[in-house]
Structure formats: C-alpha cells, structure tokens
Amino acid sequence: MILLGTYIFLIYSRAPEVIGAYVGALHLPMILMGILCLCCIVSGSLSETLSSRPGMAQLAFTAWMVCCIPLSVWPGGSFHTVFFVWPPAFITFVVVAALVSTVKDSERLARSMALGVVAILATYLIFGHRYGAGRAGTSIGTMGNPNLFALQLLMGIPFCLYRVSLSGIMSLKGFFYS
C-alpha cells in the first residue's frame, strides 16, 4: 500500500516533472507502475478487477477509442492519445481498483492525493508566477498551463477537505491540509 500511495502522490503532484527539470528524467512512477502491476498479477485480483462492471466499462471504452481512430479528424493525434496517453491512466485505474480493498486503504490514498495538492502549492510558491488577468501557473512542466494548474487544484480540494474533516480544522494537521 505504501508503493501505491507513493505512486499516486508522484503522478498527482507532478513531482517528477519538477525534479526532472533540474536532475534529468525521473522514471520512478514508471518503475512503481511496473511493480504495482506485478503485485496485481501475483495477488490474483487483476482478473477480478477487469471482470467487474467498472473494469468492463473501462475495457469497452478503450475498445471504442481504438475503433474511433480511423474516423477521427486527426487520426495521428488520436493514435498517439490511445496508445501513449491512455495506457498509464488505464493501468492506474486497474492498479487502484485491484489493490484498494478496505476503507483504510482508501483513506491512505486520499492522504496521498491531499499531500499531492500540498506539493503542487509548494511548487507554485517556489516556481510560480502570474499571467495576465489573474491566471497563475508555474514555470516548470504541465503546471505552466494555468488551466491544468487550476484543474489539479480543483480536483484535489475534496481530498484536502476530507483530510481536514478527519483531523479537525484547528489541529496542526488540519491547518496543513487547508
């Protein structure tokens, strides 16, 4: 579960992008993804996950995207999205669905997401700048796009609020997540 939490934190916080801008390519999320896939296979929960209703819906959506490539307006872009952008998202779904089995596991992942939001805000405080009309972003990676920066923060707010509700707003932990 620690590996899954670390993986979720890394992909949500975009930490490899920030570190990679100074050190070089950081392939830790890809390595963790491979290890987590092996854990799913060894535990036997992979087939159960893919045969569940959400798993079958994800498989059907993937098949639908592949079928739509020849009919798309920009087939090259669609091919790239389906075969290079979609697989990490699909694998993340499978890994999370297969390895999260208790409420405690879900709370740990919520903590990882909340810490990812804190890391995004810390990245903004260090590398951030404002664009015109009050738009904010960072000078590194995908968070340089103000729309993606705002999307990451908006998607992370429920996880921060959940952590605050568990620890209380007046506690140090609650203040940290708020």
Side-chain angles (χ1 to χ4, degrees):
M1 196 62 204
I2 293 172
L3 288 177
L4 183 59
T6 304
Y7 173 72
I8 295 295
F9 170 78
L10 286 174
I11 61 170
Y12 193 79
S13 69
R14 307 281 198 224
E17 291 178 13
V18 176
I19 296 167
Y22 295 102
V23 177
L26 183 65
H27 299 290
L28 188 58
M30 188 169 40
I31 294 166
L32 287 175
M33 183 187 296
I35 294 170
L36 291 169
C37 286
L38 285 175
C39 290
C40 289
I41 293 169
V42 169
S43 69
S45 58
L46 181 63
S47 61
E48 182 180 327
T49 300
L50 292 176
S51 63
S52 68
R53 289 176 60 94
M56 291 183 356
Q58 287 285 0
L59 287 171
F61 181 67
T62 303
W64 178 254
M65 287 194 308
V66 170
C67 291
C68 289
I69 290 174
L71 305 173
S72 70
V73 174
W74 187 33
S78 298
F79 179 85
H80 180 277
T81 300
V82 170
F83 290 101
F84 296 104
V85 177
W86 177 246
F90 182 77
I91 291 170
T92 300
F93 159 76
V94 170
V95 165
V96 170
L99 297 178
V100 174
S101 57
T102 65
V103 174
K104 196 71 169 168
D105 292 343
S106 299
E107 289 176 354
R108 288 183 184 130
L109 286 188
R111 183 182 314 123
S112 295
M113 293 288 286
L115 288 173
V117 172
V118 171
I120 289 171
L121 289 173
T123 303
Y124 174 71
L125 291 175
I126 297 169
F127 303 107
H129 59 280
R130 290 193 168 273
Y131 299 99
R135 295 164 56 99
T138 64
S139 57
I140 296 175
T142 55
M143 293 299 118
N145 182 341
N147 294 328
L148 291 176
F149 178 67
L151 177 67
Q152 288 293 108
L153 292 177
L154 285 173
M155 287 188 330
I157 286 173
F159 298 100
C160 290
L161 293 176
Y162 177 70
R163 293 304 305 167
V164 168
S165 72
L166 288 180
S167 50
I169 190 70
M170 297 312 236
S171 69
L172 184 60
K173 285 168 71 176
F175 178 75
F176 180 69
Y177 288 116
S178 63

